[in-house]
Amino acid sequence: MKRRLLKDFLLPMSLPLAAPFFACMLSSCSDSGNDVAGGPGSITTNGIVACVGGTAVPNARVSLRKVDYEAPEADEEFLIVGNADVVTDSEGRFDVDVPDQGEFRLTVAHDGIAFSRIVSTESYAKLDSVELEATATVTGVADVPEGSKSIWVGVMGTDVLVRSDSNGVFVIPAMPANDSLQLYFMDEDYGVELERQSVFVAPYEQVLYNYKTPVAIDTVERRDSVEVPADTTPKVTVLLQSGEPAAYATVALRASDAKVGNASVRNAMVVADMHADENGQFVMEWPESGEYRLTVTSAGLSYSGIYAAEDLPVEGTLTLRPSVKISSNVSLKSDEEFAWVGVYGLDEFVKTDASGAYVLPTLPANDSLGIYFVHKDSSGIFAELNVRTAEKDSSFKPSMLLFDFEEDSENWYMSVDTLWKGSTYYTNAGKNDTDHLMKNHLQLDSARGSMVFHAKYHVAFDPYAWVLLGTRLEETLNLSLLDSIEFYAKGNGDIRLTLENWENYEKATKAASDWVALDSVWTRYVFTPDDLCINGLEKKDCKAAWGTVKGDVKQIHIFPNSGNEFYVDDIKLYGALY
């Protein structure tokens, strides 16, 4: 029977497809005669490499199933590979025994990315590497047999098996992309297969399929009419851009500051609290106090808004618009492999790559959102960012004010050469400043309209003599994606910027700028990584200087020289957020 596709919307974004091919030795295969091949949970040390964007993926779960494999019993499973045959090793390698006869579905899955293809002994032997891509989300609605409360829906050849609600609405949160898959539908008792349907999805895609049997329209003229009491319960109506009802749209209500509780990748904007009916209408039990984000999605379209409890219930009509994606980056700790990224009030939760870059693939357009960042090994939030999404997909570089000198900070310090060459700071009274406390050098500046740093100094005539103003970062950071550092300064000498990882004279790396002249009026100075060309030996080599220190930055220093007075204000980092 022909079925109807309600709506599909492709987000024009996928993970990088380029990947190197690795030569490998494949093990011989024998027919095990089982639906599941290999040994569950075993780890391989050779074979095929699982990768994403050219980077190996360790600890990915691998399964090999017969192409017509269906879950043996009614046990809900949202993971594409719930019962792994093998797990990729630290180099992303795996190997499974493919039986000599027949075709099998090979699936590799890890944290929101997956690879799934049909293989035989011959085609498997030709694989050197497999590329994992972002998964898709499939929402559907199907017939529920009369007298039943639900049905079961699975993805053939994988471990996915979900249960519908009483209206037949089901959600598969993670579906392998870029291969033809089959859904199978089982009755409530998991004893009778009802039907099968083919599905093909793209990375990050969110689709809504209608598998319900079309209702025949009775064209017979009726002479007698029966009055039916009107439903007086106020309902919210959800419409597509075309004005048609958004049948079976996903509806979720979250506290406006709600965060995701479990650290696992979720590419969907929200997980349903409920679904609209076939007419795009829903009724919800509204809270009595607090502030909430109401979100409605349907196949790549969305509506989201924040409401105070006294403004609920929402009445009238909500119109969905195309969702958008944003991509950006966050600075990681130098030894951190990735961080988690979430959005307050939504269920979307993604991982950065090793450089701190990330993609939030589906967000409401034209909306103000709060993004939060969580370390790989911590539940605590280490950074936050407020953004406003556009009408279209966008990419942006974050920025953060490192320090504005409005108050003292224990992370900021003043220092002079440690080899006792005679360099010194002076107090406002002109005396030698032995305390070197930054709070004693903060003053209100009328031109800036704020507090600024102001100090007088003397640098001894020696190549190892210096004075500096600097900060020790709370974490040793990977600033590989740093765009630039900006600050305002004035004075009567020269100034230079350095990024360092200094522990002692034997163990130190530095990337420094050339000296630039200060002006007697406030001037904006901007230094990019291309300007940080001088290394710890004072040799000028741009590639070596920045390349050595960028992944392990502990200190940011400003050095004055060739004068006796300087001012600094508002130090900002572009392309960095931590």
PDB file of all heavy atoms in Angstrom, residues 4 32 112 172 198 205 208 240 242 244 249 306 322 335 355 386 389 565:
ATOM      1  N   ARG A   4       2.006   8.005   2.638  1.00  0.00           N
ATOM      2  CA  ARG A   4       2.176   9.422   2.377  1.00  0.00           C
ATOM      3  C   ARG A   4       3.321   9.984   3.221  1.00  0.00           C
ATOM      4  O   ARG A   4       3.427   9.733   4.403  1.00  0.00           O
ATOM      5  CB  ARG A   4       0.896  10.186   2.717  1.00  0.00           C
ATOM      6  CG  ARG A   4      -0.306   9.803   1.856  1.00  0.00           C
ATOM      7  CD  ARG A   4      -1.533  10.509   2.358  1.00  0.00           C
ATOM      8  NE  ARG A   4      -1.848  10.085   3.727  1.00  0.00           N
ATOM      9  CZ  ARG A   4      -2.582  10.818   4.557  1.00  0.00           C
ATOM     10  NH1 ARG A   4      -3.024  12.001   4.199  1.00  0.00           N
ATOM     11  NH2 ARG A   4      -2.858  10.369   5.760  1.00  0.00           N
ATOM     12  N   SER A  32      29.166 -18.515  10.848  1.00  0.00           N
ATOM     13  CA  SER A  32      28.826 -18.866  12.235  1.00  0.00           C
ATOM     14  C   SER A  32      27.423 -19.412  12.355  1.00  0.00           C
ATOM     15  O   SER A  32      27.078 -20.036  13.347  1.00  0.00           O
ATOM     16  CB  SER A  32      28.956 -17.615  13.122  1.00  0.00           C
ATOM     17  OG  SER A  32      27.996 -16.663  12.742  1.00  0.00           O
ATOM     18  N   GLY A 112      26.267   9.811  18.569  1.00  0.00           N
ATOM     19  CA  GLY A 112      25.594  10.656  17.591  1.00  0.00           C
ATOM     20  C   GLY A 112      26.113  10.553  16.177  1.00  0.00           C
ATOM     21  O   GLY A 112      25.644  11.268  15.290  1.00  0.00           O
ATOM     22  N   ILE A 172      12.357   7.657  16.498  1.00  0.00           N
ATOM     23  CA  ILE A 172      13.664   6.985  16.472  1.00  0.00           C
ATOM     24  C   ILE A 172      14.707   8.084  16.554  1.00  0.00           C
ATOM     25  O   ILE A 172      14.941   8.808  15.579  1.00  0.00           O
ATOM     26  CB  ILE A 172      13.842   6.145  15.190  1.00  0.00           C
ATOM     27  CG1 ILE A 172      12.755   5.067  15.130  1.00  0.00           C
ATOM     28  CG2 ILE A 172      15.220   5.521  15.150  1.00  0.00           C
ATOM     29  CD1 ILE A 172      12.754   4.272  13.834  1.00  0.00           C
ATOM     30  N   SER A 198      10.509   1.352   3.645  1.00  0.00           N
ATOM     31  CA  SER A 198      11.880   1.770   3.348  1.00  0.00           C
ATOM     32  C   SER A 198      12.092   3.219   3.777  1.00  0.00           C
ATOM     33  O   SER A 198      11.199   4.059   3.637  1.00  0.00           O
ATOM     34  CB  SER A 198      12.178   1.630   1.855  1.00  0.00           C
ATOM     35  OG  SER A 198      12.118   0.275   1.465  1.00  0.00           O
ATOM     36  N   GLU A 205      19.325  15.056   9.402  1.00  0.00           N
ATOM     37  CA  GLU A 205      17.966  15.265   8.920  1.00  0.00           C
ATOM     38  C   GLU A 205      16.950  14.906  10.003  1.00  0.00           C
ATOM     39  O   GLU A 205      17.157  13.995  10.798  1.00  0.00           O
ATOM     40  CB  GLU A 205      17.722  14.416   7.672  1.00  0.00           C
ATOM     41  CG  GLU A 205      16.455  14.783   6.919  1.00  0.00           C
ATOM     42  CD  GLU A 205      16.347  14.082   5.582  1.00  0.00           C
ATOM     43  OE1 GLU A 205      17.099  13.112   5.352  1.00  0.00           O
ATOM     44  OE2 GLU A 205      15.505  14.505   4.771  1.00  0.00           O
ATOM     45  N   LEU A 208       9.426  13.532   9.271  1.00  0.00           N
ATOM     46  CA  LEU A 208       8.167  13.037   9.835  1.00  0.00           C
ATOM     47  C   LEU A 208       7.457  12.259   8.740  1.00  0.00           C
ATOM     48  O   LEU A 208       7.164  12.799   7.671  1.00  0.00           O
ATOM     49  CB  LEU A 208       7.293  14.209  10.306  1.00  0.00           C
ATOM     50  CG  LEU A 208       5.875  13.861  10.765  1.00  0.00           C
ATOM     51  CD1 LEU A 208       5.912  12.929  11.964  1.00  0.00           C
ATOM     52  CD2 LEU A 208       5.097  15.121  11.103  1.00  0.00           C
ATOM     53  N   LEU A 240       2.223  24.549   9.605  1.00  0.00           N
ATOM     54  CA  LEU A 240       3.424  24.637   8.791  1.00  0.00           C
ATOM     55  C   LEU A 240       3.461  25.998   8.114  1.00  0.00           C
ATOM     56  O   LEU A 240       2.485  26.747   8.134  1.00  0.00           O
ATOM     57  CB  LEU A 240       3.443  23.523   7.751  1.00  0.00           C
ATOM     58  CG  LEU A 240       3.307  22.092   8.287  1.00  0.00           C
ATOM     59  CD1 LEU A 240       3.206  21.109   7.124  1.00  0.00           C
ATOM     60  CD2 LEU A 240       4.488  21.740   9.173  1.00  0.00           C
ATOM     61  N   SER A 242       3.246  26.620   5.110  1.00  0.00           N
ATOM     62  CA  SER A 242       2.258  26.611   4.039  1.00  0.00           C
ATOM     63  C   SER A 242       0.852  26.891   4.541  1.00  0.00           C
ATOM     64  O   SER A 242      -0.070  27.106   3.753  1.00  0.00           O
ATOM     65  CB  SER A 242       2.276  25.260   3.326  1.00  0.00           C
ATOM     66  OG  SER A 242       1.920  24.220   4.234  1.00  0.00           O
ATOM     67  N   GLU A 244      -0.765  24.637   6.348  1.00  0.00           N
ATOM     68  CA  GLU A 244      -1.361  23.339   6.630  1.00  0.00           C
ATOM     69  C   GLU A 244      -1.084  22.939   8.079  1.00  0.00           C
ATOM     70  O   GLU A 244      -0.081  23.353   8.670  1.00  0.00           O
ATOM     71  CB  GLU A 244      -0.788  22.286   5.685  1.00  0.00           C
ATOM     72  CG  GLU A 244      -1.087  22.542   4.214  1.00  0.00           C
ATOM     73  CD  GLU A 244      -0.389  21.525   3.320  1.00  0.00           C
ATOM     74  OE1 GLU A 244       0.331  20.668   3.868  1.00  0.00           O
ATOM     75  OE2 GLU A 244      -0.567  21.597   2.108  1.00  0.00           O
ATOM     76  N   ALA A 249       3.128  16.960  15.295  1.00  0.00           N
ATOM     77  CA  ALA A 249       4.324  17.723  15.652  1.00  0.00           C
ATOM     78  C   ALA A 249       4.761  17.376  17.071  1.00  0.00           C
ATOM     79  O   ALA A 249       3.954  17.053  17.946  1.00  0.00           O
ATOM     80  CB  ALA A 249       4.043  19.219  15.535  1.00  0.00           C
ATOM     81  N   ILE A 306       9.856  31.683  25.046  1.00  0.00           N
ATOM     82  CA  ILE A 306       9.893  31.652  26.514  1.00  0.00           C
ATOM     83  C   ILE A 306       8.662  32.388  27.057  1.00  0.00           C
ATOM     84  O   ILE A 306       8.335  33.493  26.604  1.00  0.00           O
ATOM     85  CB  ILE A 306      11.189  32.291  27.042  1.00  0.00           C
ATOM     86  CG1 ILE A 306      12.386  31.405  26.668  1.00  0.00           C
ATOM     87  CG2 ILE A 306      11.126  32.495  28.544  1.00  0.00           C
ATOM     88  CD1 ILE A 306      13.719  31.941  27.138  1.00  0.00           C
ATOM     89  N   PRO A 322      11.601  27.181   9.240  1.00  0.00           N
ATOM     90  CA  PRO A 322      12.783  26.320   9.102  1.00  0.00           C
ATOM     91  C   PRO A 322      13.763  26.518  10.255  1.00  0.00           C
ATOM     92  O   PRO A 322      14.080  27.650  10.630  1.00  0.00           O
ATOM     93  CB  PRO A 322      13.401  26.769   7.773  1.00  0.00           C
ATOM     94  CG  PRO A 322      12.247  27.310   6.994  1.00  0.00           C
ATOM     95  CD  PRO A 322      11.351  27.960   8.007  1.00  0.00           C
ATOM     96  N   ASP A 335      44.730  19.428  27.880  1.00  0.00           N
ATOM     97  CA  ASP A 335      44.741  17.968  27.868  1.00  0.00           C
ATOM     98  C   ASP A 335      43.345  17.388  27.634  1.00  0.00           C
ATOM     99  O   ASP A 335      43.118  16.204  27.858  1.00  0.00           O
ATOM    100  CB  ASP A 335      45.311  17.423  29.179  1.00  0.00           C
ATOM    101  CG  ASP A 335      44.507  17.881  30.402  1.00  0.00           C
ATOM    102  OD1 ASP A 335      43.636  18.773  30.246  1.00  0.00           O
ATOM    103  OD2 ASP A 335      44.773  17.371  31.506  1.00  0.00           O
ATOM    104  N   SER A 355      39.684  20.257  18.782  1.00  0.00           N
ATOM    105  CA  SER A 355      40.097  21.659  18.764  1.00  0.00           C
ATOM    106  C   SER A 355      39.089  22.569  19.454  1.00  0.00           C
ATOM    107  O   SER A 355      39.347  23.761  19.634  1.00  0.00           O
ATOM    108  CB  SER A 355      40.292  22.131  17.320  1.00  0.00           C
ATOM    109  OG  SER A 355      39.053  22.218  16.649  1.00  0.00           O
ATOM    110  N   ASN A 386      25.668  33.824  25.142  1.00  0.00           N
ATOM    111  CA  ASN A 386      24.345  34.202  24.646  1.00  0.00           C
ATOM    112  C   ASN A 386      24.440  34.536  23.167  1.00  0.00           C
ATOM    113  O   ASN A 386      25.312  35.309  22.754  1.00  0.00           O
ATOM    114  CB  ASN A 386      23.809  35.412  25.420  1.00  0.00           C
ATOM    115  CG  ASN A 386      23.473  35.088  26.866  1.00  0.00           C
ATOM    116  OD1 ASN A 386      22.935  34.020  27.153  1.00  0.00           O
ATOM    117  ND2 ASN A 386      23.802  35.984  27.772  1.00  0.00           N
ATOM    118  N   THR A 389      20.113  33.534  17.018  1.00  0.00           N
ATOM    119  CA  THR A 389      20.176  32.828  15.753  1.00  0.00           C
ATOM    120  C   THR A 389      19.597  33.691  14.638  1.00  0.00           C
ATOM    121  O   THR A 389      18.754  34.553  14.864  1.00  0.00           O
ATOM    122  CB  THR A 389      19.409  31.500  15.819  1.00  0.00           C
ATOM    123  OG1 THR A 389      18.053  31.764  16.227  1.00  0.00           O
ATOM    124  CG2 THR A 389      20.056  30.544  16.812  1.00  0.00           C
ATOM    125  N   GLU A 565      56.067  54.902  31.636  1.00  0.00           N
ATOM    126  CA  GLU A 565      54.677  54.946  32.073  1.00  0.00           C
ATOM    127  C   GLU A 565      53.792  54.274  31.020  1.00  0.00           C
ATOM    128  O   GLU A 565      53.991  54.476  29.814  1.00  0.00           O
ATOM    129  CB  GLU A 565      54.237  56.400  32.273  1.00  0.00           C
ATOM    130  CG  GLU A 565      52.847  56.568  32.856  1.00  0.00           C
ATOM    131  CD  GLU A 565      52.533  58.036  33.138  1.00  0.00           C
ATOM    132  OE1 GLU A 565      53.179  58.915  32.516  1.00  0.00           O
ATOM    133  OE2 GLU A 565      51.657  58.296  33.977  1.00  0.00           O
TER     134      GLU A 565
END
